[in-house]
Amino acid sequence: MTHLHTQLDAQGRLRHFLTIEGLSRKLLIELLDQAEGFLGVAQQAVKKVPLCRGKVVANLFFETSTRTRTTFELAAKRLSADVLNLNISTSATAKGESLLDTLRNLEAMHVDMFVVRHAESGTAHFMAAHAAPHVSIINAGDGRHAHPTQALLDMFTIRRHKGGFDHLRVAIVGDILHSRVARSQMLALKTLRVPDIRVIAPRTLLPAKVEEAFGVSAYYDLAEGIRDVDVIIMLRLQRERMSSALLPSEHEYFQLFGLTEERMKAAKPDAIVMHPGPINRGVEMDSAVADGRRSVILEQVTNGIAVRMAVMAMCLGSQGSK
Amino acid sequence: MLEAPRLTIRGGRLLDPVSRLDRVLDLHIAGGRVLALDAPPEGFRPDRILDARGQIVCPGFVDLCARVREPGDEHKATIASEVRAAAASGVTTLCCPPDTHPVIDTPAVARLIHQISKRHALARVLPIGALTQGLEGQTLAGMAALKQAGCLVLSQADQPIRDTQVLRRALEYAATFALPVFLLPLDPDLAAGGCAHEGVVSTRLGLPGIPESAETVVLARALVLAEQTGARIHFQRLSTARGVEMLAEARARGIAVSGDVAMHQLFLTEQDVATFDANCHLIPPLRTAADRAALRQGVAEGILGAICSDHQPHELDAKLAPFPETAPGLSALETLLPLGLRLVEEGVLDLMTLIERLSSGPAEILGREPGRIVPGAPADLCLFDPQVNWTVCPETWISRGQNTPFMGQRLRGRVSWTLFGGRIVYESWRVGAHPA
């Protein structure tokens, strides 16, 4: 089960960024190191580097998103690329144009990179399989499958706080079943050799055979699951899940799986709290935790730009040297 | 229709599972029927002699599930295109599920399919009548009229009957006319939104899963009703080990049920979905290696008495989308025999059993006289070379739908001639191009 052949070019360089799966630890570390270098760009008077000048990046968001789309846009602009933001809900696909036709039309306008978000798993992979040889695809979230830049920025944030990965206990809490973020995080944590990865949720929100599929441990009790962990990653719980047969109520979910300062005591004293956002306060965690001293949630957002710059620069760089 | 020629098939290995014939003999055909084996009758002068040395001669295959897409989806395929593919695959009878547009829930649609297929006369197309009107699972279809119009069995195609009382009544009513009922065991609520087996691969890929219970829950319900109503139920395209086990238990208790499996389920597994290959988007989904092993065993032991193609040709665009948005199904007629021969090569079945699962087994499930190689029997025959190697490629693919995960693969065994009613309806350009 590998996507290597579609993500890397013949020289083994990153051409597309579709999933963490199949990428080496060395490559992930290289991306994290490169992101460190880009963190300082935001502190400069002119917040730009000329690495991708003349390149055209199109943000193709078939699902609404503010945070991810904005950080991708800023990342591309800080690399001096030209950016197109396509409002898909009022565009050609709404008139019945196929995804492939959209891709081909934009390719004909000499777009170099597509940042794609879509509600169906496998979309980025599908587009990469049909993209022209000089075009790169970045997966900005496809269905329940993958959100690899989010996972990478989480790893970046963890490394900055914890120094490394091979001594950590990490807990991911919430709707693992529907979460592309969790899937990419589990793969990234595994690739970076985190020895103890835990997922915590009621059984209705855990996918089948999650332990076997990702080499993690499943917990159904929050207190037990976060005991002595170094990192707690909370996931967003979509409110529509409450009305289906997955959960009885927000109230009960918060009672059992919501993160409070009191419950945080089970984790290590220096444990950090993460969340990919947007947060449902009072559902996934209370405000005291979200805004507390151990929360690194806003840092994640800042780091996201640097990490996305690193991914884009590496993909566009492999194009430029052809 | 042209009159059937007088033929002699020379030197072929005749394999007939019904009479357990397995001998190298000449075969003589006239008037659309088998005339004699071995020595020709006195004065018999064939119009043509087919050199079948090194080849297998067996009854034509009966496919219990093959979509021809007509009427209604002619942009995908037509009866004309798919009976050509059937003929090239050694299939002389194919059953077309009722999910055409309009649905086969009136005699008119059944007759239309009969008429069109007779016009082409390359294979027998048997329309399967709908069990409920519009396949909506609510009101019973006019089963007696459908039977009169030539429907030998009834089914819901891939549509469910949610209401257990409706299912019970449908089974009872079908049993009134001794019509077998074909059911695809798939619970619509457990399968809802799913596009892959619920397991390790779907979890990794984030594809909504279809659990094993989507098959076994429906199977359990239908087995209980089969016992109660005395209806004859045939379960189509089983995909799970537990499903095979439940069927075996029911048969051991004397319940009149049978089952089949699609050929691709005996080869592919959930792992084949791992690259998001839309050609592996199938319903029922590809299951685990353990399920595949149990399905193979079920075929070998005869719990599954037939192997079907589950042929579902699609237009190119149907598979050009992200995996969950693609149409499920594969084009499968032309790989039916070579994949079957691979089962023989891998020691799952012997050649005679394979032929049985492809010809007399499904014929018996349909309630039709099984094909035989005895004097007087209709000359619906398949002649194939089990040794010839070929590559699945668009240039030689005959079905309108090229949606197969086997594209580009090297397969062994190919049909040389197909006889339908004693007429040669397919002749491979390869005949004679390889050593006998």
Side-chain angles (χ1 to χ4, degrees), chain B residues 33-81:
Chain B
R33 292 183 177 271
V34 173
L35 190 64
L37 279 63
D38 201 4
E42 209 174 308
F44 178 75
R45 298 179 67 158
D47 301 316
R48 192 169 167 196
I49 296 170
L50 307 182
D51 181 0
R53 285 174 295 169
Q55 307 220 11
I56 309 289
V57 182
C58 65
F61 305 139
V62 178
D63 191 346
L64 293 180
C65 188
R67 259 82 172 179
V68 290
R69 302 298 192 196
E70 189 177 359
D73 286 318
E74 288 85 351
H75 62 291
K76 292 182 185 289
T78 60
I79 291 175
S81 69

Short mmCIF file of all heavy atoms in Angstrom, two decimals, chain B residues 33-81:
data_model
loop_
_atom_site.label_atom_id
_atom_site.label_comp_id
_atom_site.label_asym_id
_atom_site.label_seq_id
_atom_site.Cartn_x
_atom_site.Cartn_y
_atom_site.Cartn_z
N ARG B 33 -27.69 -29.29 -33.19
CA ARG B 33 -27.57 -30.23 -32.07
C ARG B 33 -26.37 -31.16 -32.24
O ARG B 33 -25.85 -31.31 -33.36
CB ARG B 33 -28.84 -31.09 -31.97
CG ARG B 33 -30.03 -30.25 -31.54
CD ARG B 33 -31.29 -31.05 -31.35
NE ARG B 33 -32.35 -30.16 -30.87
CZ ARG B 33 -32.59 -29.91 -29.59
NH1 ARG B 33 -31.89 -30.49 -28.65
NH2 ARG B 33 -33.56 -29.07 -29.24
N VAL B 34 -25.99 -31.74 -31.13
CA VAL B 34 -24.92 -32.73 -31.19
C VAL B 34 -25.48 -33.96 -31.91
O VAL B 34 -26.54 -34.47 -31.56
CB VAL B 34 -24.44 -33.12 -29.77
CG1 VAL B 34 -23.45 -34.27 -29.83
CG2 VAL B 34 -23.82 -31.91 -29.08
N LEU B 35 -24.75 -34.38 -32.95
CA LEU B 35 -25.23 -35.52 -33.74
C LEU B 35 -24.58 -36.82 -33.26
O LEU B 35 -25.26 -37.82 -33.03
CB LEU B 35 -24.89 -35.27 -35.21
CG LEU B 35 -25.49 -36.19 -36.25
CD1 LEU B 35 -27.01 -36.04 -36.25
CD2 LEU B 35 -24.92 -35.86 -37.62
N ALA B 36 -23.27 -36.75 -33.10
CA ALA B 36 -22.56 -37.97 -32.70
C ALA B 36 -21.20 -37.64 -32.13
O ALA B 36 -20.65 -36.57 -32.41
CB ALA B 36 -22.38 -38.89 -33.91
N LEU B 37 -20.70 -38.55 -31.31
CA LEU B 37 -19.33 -38.44 -30.77
C LEU B 37 -18.51 -39.53 -31.44
O LEU B 37 -19.04 -40.60 -31.80
CB LEU B 37 -19.33 -38.66 -29.26
CG LEU B 37 -19.71 -37.47 -28.36
CD1 LEU B 37 -21.12 -37.01 -28.56
CD2 LEU B 37 -19.46 -37.83 -26.90
N ASP B 38 -17.23 -39.24 -31.55
CA ASP B 38 -16.29 -40.20 -32.13
C ASP B 38 -16.50 -40.36 -33.62
O ASP B 38 -16.26 -39.43 -34.38
CB ASP B 38 -16.39 -41.53 -31.38
CG ASP B 38 -15.13 -42.37 -31.57
OD1 ASP B 38 -14.18 -41.86 -32.20
OD2 ASP B 38 -15.10 -43.51 -31.10
N ALA B 39 -17.07 -41.49 -34.04
CA ALA B 39 -17.23 -41.72 -35.48
C ALA B 39 -18.47 -40.99 -36.00
O ALA B 39 -19.50 -40.95 -35.33
CB ALA B 39 -17.40 -43.21 -35.74
N PRO B 40 -18.37 -40.41 -37.18
CA PRO B 40 -19.54 -39.71 -37.73
C PRO B 40 -20.58 -40.71 -38.22
O PRO B 40 -20.24 -41.83 -38.59
CB PRO B 40 -18.95 -38.93 -38.90
CG PRO B 40 -17.73 -39.67 -39.30
CD PRO B 40 -17.20 -40.34 -38.07
N PRO B 41 -21.84 -40.33 -38.22
CA PRO B 41 -22.85 -41.21 -38.80
C PRO B 41 -22.56 -41.42 -40.29
O PRO B 41 -21.92 -40.56 -40.92
CB PRO B 41 -24.16 -40.43 -38.61
CG PRO B 41 -23.85 -39.34 -37.65
CD PRO B 41 -22.39 -39.06 -37.74
N GLU B 42 -23.01 -42.51 -40.77
CA GLU B 42 -22.73 -42.82 -42.18
C GLU B 42 -23.27 -41.72 -43.09
O GLU B 42 -24.38 -41.23 -42.89
CB GLU B 42 -23.38 -44.16 -42.52
CG GLU B 42 -22.61 -44.88 -43.62
CD GLU B 42 -23.20 -46.27 -43.85
OE1 GLU B 42 -23.34 -47.02 -42.87
OE2 GLU B 42 -23.51 -46.55 -45.02
N GLY B 43 -22.44 -41.32 -44.00
CA GLY B 43 -22.87 -40.31 -44.98
C GLY B 43 -22.77 -38.88 -44.49
O GLY B 43 -23.09 -37.94 -45.23
N PHE B 44 -22.30 -38.68 -43.22
CA PHE B 44 -22.23 -37.32 -42.70
C PHE B 44 -21.07 -36.57 -43.36
O PHE B 44 -19.93 -37.03 -43.34
CB PHE B 44 -22.02 -37.36 -41.18
CG PHE B 44 -21.88 -35.99 -40.55
CD1 PHE B 44 -22.99 -35.16 -40.38
CD2 PHE B 44 -20.64 -35.51 -40.15
CE1 PHE B 44 -22.85 -33.90 -39.81
CE2 PHE B 44 -20.49 -34.26 -39.59
CZ PHE B 44 -21.61 -33.45 -39.41
N ARG B 45 -21.38 -35.45 -43.96
CA ARG B 45 -20.34 -34.64 -44.59
C ARG B 45 -20.40 -33.23 -44.02
O ARG B 45 -21.34 -32.48 -44.30
CB ARG B 45 -20.54 -34.60 -46.11
CG ARG B 45 -20.45 -35.99 -46.71
CD ARG B 45 -20.68 -35.96 -48.16
NE ARG B 45 -19.58 -35.26 -48.83
CZ ARG B 45 -19.30 -35.45 -50.11
NH1 ARG B 45 -20.02 -36.25 -50.84
NH2 ARG B 45 -18.31 -34.79 -50.67
N PRO B 46 -19.44 -32.89 -43.18
CA PRO B 46 -19.49 -31.57 -42.53
C PRO B 46 -19.24 -30.43 -43.51
O PRO B 46 -18.51 -30.60 -44.50
CB PRO B 46 -18.35 -31.65 -41.51
CG PRO B 46 -17.41 -32.67 -42.04
CD PRO B 46 -18.23 -33.66 -42.82
N ASP B 47 -19.88 -29.31 -43.23
CA ASP B 47 -19.59 -28.10 -44.01
C ASP B 47 -18.22 -27.55 -43.63
O ASP B 47 -17.56 -26.90 -44.42
CB ASP B 47 -20.65 -27.02 -43.72
CG ASP B 47 -22.05 -27.50 -44.07
OD1 ASP B 47 -22.20 -28.10 -45.15
OD2 ASP B 47 -22.97 -27.28 -43.27
N ARG B 48 -17.87 -27.84 -42.38
CA ARG B 48 -16.61 -27.30 -41.91
C ARG B 48 -16.03 -28.20 -40.81
O ARG B 48 -16.78 -28.77 -40.01
CB ARG B 48 -16.84 -25.90 -41.35
CG ARG B 48 -15.56 -25.15 -41.11
CD ARG B 48 -15.76 -23.71 -40.82
NE ARG B 48 -14.51 -23.19 -40.31
CZ ARG B 48 -14.35 -22.07 -39.66
NH1 ARG B 48 -15.41 -21.31 -39.46
NH2 ARG B 48 -13.17 -21.68 -39.23
N ILE B 49 -14.73 -28.29 -40.79
CA ILE B 49 -14.06 -29.05 -39.73
C ILE B 49 -13.26 -28.08 -38.88
O ILE B 49 -12.48 -27.28 -39.41
CB ILE B 49 -13.12 -30.12 -40.33
CG1 ILE B 49 -13.94 -31.14 -41.13
CG2 ILE B 49 -12.31 -30.81 -39.23
CD1 ILE B 49 -13.11 -32.09 -41.96
N LEU B 50 -13.51 -28.10 -37.58
CA LEU B 50 -12.75 -27.25 -36.67
C LEU B 50 -11.64 -28.09 -36.04
O LEU B 50 -11.92 -29.12 -35.43
CB LEU B 50 -13.65 -26.67 -35.57
CG LEU B 50 -14.92 -25.95 -36.03
CD1 LEU B 50 -15.68 -25.39 -34.81
CD2 LEU B 50 -14.59 -24.81 -36.99
N ASP B 51 -10.42 -27.65 -36.22
CA ASP B 51 -9.28 -28.39 -35.67
C ASP B 51 -9.14 -28.02 -34.20
O ASP B 51 -8.65 -26.94 -33.87
CB ASP B 51 -8.01 -28.05 -36.45
CG ASP B 51 -6.81 -28.82 -35.93
OD1 ASP B 51 -6.98 -29.61 -34.97
OD2 ASP B 51 -5.70 -28.63 -36.47
N ALA B 52 -9.58 -28.91 -33.32
CA ALA B 52 -9.60 -28.60 -31.89
C ALA B 52 -8.52 -29.37 -31.14
O ALA B 52 -8.62 -29.52 -29.91
CB ALA B 52 -10.98 -28.90 -31.32
N ARG B 53 -7.51 -29.80 -31.83
CA ARG B 53 -6.44 -30.52 -31.14
C ARG B 53 -5.77 -29.59 -30.11
O ARG B 53 -5.47 -28.44 -30.42
CB ARG B 53 -5.40 -31.03 -32.13
CG ARG B 53 -5.91 -32.25 -32.92
CD ARG B 53 -4.93 -32.63 -33.99
NE ARG B 53 -4.82 -31.58 -35.00
CZ ARG B 53 -3.89 -31.54 -35.95
NH1 ARG B 53 -2.98 -32.48 -36.02
NH2 ARG B 53 -3.86 -30.56 -36.83
N GLY B 54 -5.58 -30.10 -28.93
CA GLY B 54 -4.99 -29.29 -27.84
C GLY B 54 -6.00 -28.38 -27.16
O GLY B 54 -5.64 -27.60 -26.29
N GLN B 55 -7.24 -28.49 -27.58
CA GLN B 55 -8.25 -27.58 -27.02
C GLN B 55 -9.30 -28.34 -26.21
O GLN B 55 -9.46 -29.54 -26.34
CB GLN B 55 -8.96 -26.86 -28.17
CG GLN B 55 -7.98 -26.20 -29.11
CD GLN B 55 -8.43 -24.85 -29.59
OE1 GLN B 55 -9.39 -24.29 -29.08
NE2 GLN B 55 -7.76 -24.34 -30.58
N ILE B 56 -9.98 -27.58 -25.37
CA ILE B 56 -11.06 -28.13 -24.56
C ILE B 56 -12.38 -27.79 -25.25
O ILE B 56 -12.58 -26.68 -25.74
CB ILE B 56 -11.08 -27.51 -23.15
CG1 ILE B 56 -9.70 -27.58 -22.49
CG2 ILE B 56 -12.17 -28.12 -22.28
CD1 ILE B 56 -9.24 -28.93 -22.08
N VAL B 57 -13.26 -28.78 -25.29
CA VAL B 57 -14.61 -28.56 -25.81
C VAL B 57 -15.58 -28.82 -24.66
O VAL B 57 -15.57 -29.90 -24.08
CB VAL B 57 -14.92 -29.52 -26.98
CG1 VAL B 57 -16.31 -29.25 -27.54
CG2 VAL B 57 -13.85 -29.41 -28.07
N CYS B 58 -16.37 -27.82 -24.31
CA CYS B 58 -17.27 -27.98 -23.15
C CYS B 58 -18.59 -27.28 -23.41
O CYS B 58 -18.70 -26.50 -24.37
CB CYS B 58 -16.60 -27.42 -21.89
SG CYS B 58 -16.33 -25.66 -21.94
N PRO B 59 -19.60 -27.53 -22.58
CA PRO B 59 -20.85 -26.81 -22.75
C PRO B 59 -20.63 -25.30 -22.60
O PRO B 59 -19.76 -24.87 -21.84
CB PRO B 59 -21.74 -27.33 -21.61
CG PRO B 59 -21.15 -28.65 -21.24
CD PRO B 59 -19.68 -28.53 -21.48
N GLY B 60 -21.40 -24.51 -23.34
CA GLY B 60 -21.29 -23.06 -23.23
C GLY B 60 -21.59 -22.60 -21.82
O GLY B 60 -22.34 -23.25 -21.08
N PHE B 61 -21.01 -21.48 -21.43
CA PHE B 61 -21.15 -21.00 -20.05
C PHE B 61 -22.48 -20.28 -19.85
O PHE B 61 -23.02 -19.65 -20.77
CB PHE B 61 -19.99 -20.08 -19.68
CG PHE B 61 -18.64 -20.71 -19.91
CD1 PHE B 61 -17.59 -19.98 -20.45
CD2 PHE B 61 -18.43 -22.05 -19.60
CE1 PHE B 61 -16.35 -20.57 -20.69
CE2 PHE B 61 -17.19 -22.65 -19.82
CZ PHE B 61 -16.16 -21.91 -20.38
N VAL B 62 -22.97 -20.40 -18.62
CA VAL B 62 -24.22 -19.74 -18.23
C VAL B 62 -23.86 -18.72 -17.16
O VAL B 62 -23.38 -19.09 -16.09
CB VAL B 62 -25.24 -20.78 -17.69
CG1 VAL B 62 -26.51 -20.09 -17.24
CG2 VAL B 62 -25.53 -21.84 -18.76
N ASP B 63 -24.06 -17.47 -17.47
CA ASP B 63 -23.67 -16.39 -16.55
C ASP B 63 -24.91 -15.85 -15.83
O ASP B 63 -25.82 -15.33 -16.47
CB ASP B 63 -22.98 -15.28 -17.36
CG ASP B 63 -22.30 -14.26 -16.46
OD1 ASP B 63 -22.58 -14.25 -15.25
OD2 ASP B 63 -21.49 -13.47 -16.99
N LEU B 64 -24.93 -16.00 -14.53
CA LEU B 64 -26.13 -15.63 -13.76
C LEU B 64 -26.26 -14.13 -13.52
O LEU B 64 -27.30 -13.67 -13.04
CB LEU B 64 -26.16 -16.36 -12.41
CG LEU B 64 -26.33 -17.89 -12.48
CD1 LEU B 64 -26.34 -18.48 -11.09
CD2 LEU B 64 -27.62 -18.27 -13.22
N CYS B 65 -25.24 -13.36 -13.84
CA CYS B 65 -25.35 -11.91 -13.60
C CYS B 65 -24.46 -11.13 -14.56
O CYS B 65 -23.25 -11.04 -14.37
CB CYS B 65 -24.97 -11.60 -12.16
SG CYS B 65 -25.30 -9.90 -11.70
N ALA B 66 -25.07 -10.60 -15.59
CA ALA B 66 -24.32 -9.80 -16.56
C ALA B 66 -25.21 -8.66 -17.05
O ALA B 66 -26.26 -8.90 -17.62
CB ALA B 66 -23.87 -10.67 -17.73
N ARG B 67 -24.77 -7.46 -16.80
CA ARG B 67 -25.54 -6.30 -17.27
C ARG B 67 -25.26 -6.07 -18.76
O ARG B 67 -24.10 -6.07 -19.17
CB ARG B 67 -25.12 -5.05 -16.52
CG ARG B 67 -26.04 -4.62 -15.42
CD ARG B 67 -25.79 -5.38 -14.16
NE ARG B 67 -26.56 -4.84 -13.04
CZ ARG B 67 -26.52 -5.34 -11.82
NH1 ARG B 67 -25.80 -6.41 -11.56
NH2 ARG B 67 -27.24 -4.82 -10.85
N VAL B 68 -26.34 -5.89 -19.51
CA VAL B 68 -26.18 -5.55 -20.93
C VAL B 68 -26.53 -4.08 -21.17
O VAL B 68 -26.35 -3.57 -22.26
CB VAL B 68 -27.01 -6.47 -21.84
CG1 VAL B 68 -26.44 -7.88 -21.85
CG2 VAL B 68 -28.47 -6.49 -21.43
N ARG B 69 -27.04 -3.42 -20.14
CA ARG B 69 -27.29 -1.97 -20.13
C ARG B 69 -28.40 -1.50 -21.06
O ARG B 69 -28.59 -0.30 -21.21
CB ARG B 69 -26.01 -1.20 -20.46
CG ARG B 69 -24.85 -1.48 -19.53
CD ARG B 69 -25.13 -1.08 -18.12
NE ARG B 69 -23.93 -1.09 -17.29
CZ ARG B 69 -23.97 -1.07 -15.97
NH1 ARG B 69 -25.12 -1.09 -15.32
NH2 ARG B 69 -22.85 -1.06 -15.27
N GLU B 70 -29.06 -2.42 -21.71
CA GLU B 70 -30.14 -2.02 -22.61
C GLU B 70 -31.42 -2.72 -22.15
O GLU B 70 -31.36 -3.92 -21.85
CB GLU B 70 -29.81 -2.43 -24.04
CG GLU B 70 -30.76 -1.87 -25.07
CD GLU B 70 -30.37 -2.23 -26.51
OE1 GLU B 70 -29.34 -2.90 -26.70
OE2 GLU B 70 -31.12 -1.84 -27.41
N PRO B 71 -32.52 -2.01 -22.02
CA PRO B 71 -32.73 -0.62 -22.40
C PRO B 71 -32.31 0.37 -21.31
O PRO B 71 -32.28 0.01 -20.14
CB PRO B 71 -34.26 -0.56 -22.58
CG PRO B 71 -34.79 -1.59 -21.63
CD PRO B 71 -33.77 -2.69 -21.61
N GLY B 72 -32.00 1.57 -21.75
CA GLY B 72 -31.87 2.68 -20.83
C GLY B 72 -30.49 3.24 -20.63
O GLY B 72 -30.34 4.43 -20.40
N ASP B 73 -29.47 2.40 -20.70
CA ASP B 73 -28.11 2.90 -20.47
C ASP B 73 -27.22 2.57 -21.66
O ASP B 73 -26.09 2.10 -21.51
CB ASP B 73 -27.52 2.29 -19.20
CG ASP B 73 -28.14 2.88 -17.95
OD1 ASP B 73 -28.33 4.12 -17.91
OD2 ASP B 73 -28.47 2.12 -17.02
N GLU B 74 -27.75 2.85 -22.85
CA GLU B 74 -27.02 2.47 -24.06
C GLU B 74 -25.72 3.24 -24.23
O GLU B 74 -24.88 2.87 -25.05
CB GLU B 74 -27.91 2.64 -25.29
CG GLU B 74 -29.03 1.61 -25.42
CD GLU B 74 -30.29 1.97 -24.64
OE1 GLU B 74 -30.25 2.94 -23.85
OE2 GLU B 74 -31.32 1.28 -24.80
N HIS B 75 -25.55 4.32 -23.46
CA HIS B 75 -24.26 5.02 -23.52
C HIS B 75 -23.16 4.20 -22.86
O HIS B 75 -21.97 4.44 -23.07
CB HIS B 75 -24.36 6.40 -22.86
CG HIS B 75 -24.69 6.34 -21.40
ND1 HIS B 75 -25.92 5.93 -20.92
CD2 HIS B 75 -23.94 6.63 -20.31
CE1 HIS B 75 -25.91 5.98 -19.61
NE2 HIS B 75 -24.73 6.40 -19.21
N LYS B 76 -23.56 3.22 -22.05
CA LYS B 76 -22.57 2.34 -21.40
C LYS B 76 -22.29 1.12 -22.28
O LYS B 76 -21.15 0.73 -22.46
CB LYS B 76 -23.08 1.88 -20.04
CG LYS B 76 -23.16 2.98 -18.99
CD LYS B 76 -23.63 2.41 -17.66
CE LYS B 76 -23.84 3.51 -16.63
NZ LYS B 76 -22.57 4.11 -16.15
N ALA B 77 -23.36 0.52 -22.79
CA ALA B 77 -23.22 -0.69 -23.59
C ALA B 77 -24.59 -1.01 -24.18
O ALA B 77 -25.60 -0.39 -23.82
CB ALA B 77 -22.75 -1.85 -22.73
N THR B 78 -24.61 -1.96 -25.09
CA THR B 78 -25.89 -2.39 -25.67
C THR B 78 -25.94 -3.91 -25.68
O THR B 78 -24.92 -4.58 -25.48
CB THR B 78 -26.02 -1.91 -27.13
OG1 THR B 78 -24.94 -2.49 -27.88
CG2 THR B 78 -25.98 -0.39 -27.24
N ILE B 79 -27.12 -4.41 -25.91
CA ILE B 79 -27.24 -5.87 -26.02
C ILE B 79 -26.32 -6.36 -27.13
O ILE B 79 -25.58 -7.34 -26.98
CB ILE B 79 -28.70 -6.27 -26.27
CG1 ILE B 79 -29.54 -5.99 -25.02
CG2 ILE B 79 -28.80 -7.75 -26.67
CD1 ILE B 79 -31.03 -6.24 -25.16
N ALA B 80 -26.30 -5.63 -28.24
CA ALA B 80 -25.45 -6.03 -29.38
C ALA B 80 -23.99 -6.11 -28.96
O ALA B 80 -23.30 -7.09 -29.25
CB ALA B 80 -25.63 -5.06 -30.53
N SER B 81 -23.51 -5.08 -28.27
CA SER B 81 -22.08 -5.08 -27.92
C SER B 81 -21.77 -6.16 -26.89
O SER B 81 -20.73 -6.83 -26.98
CB SER B 81 -21.66 -3.70 -27.39
OG SER B 81 -22.24 -3.43 -26.13
#
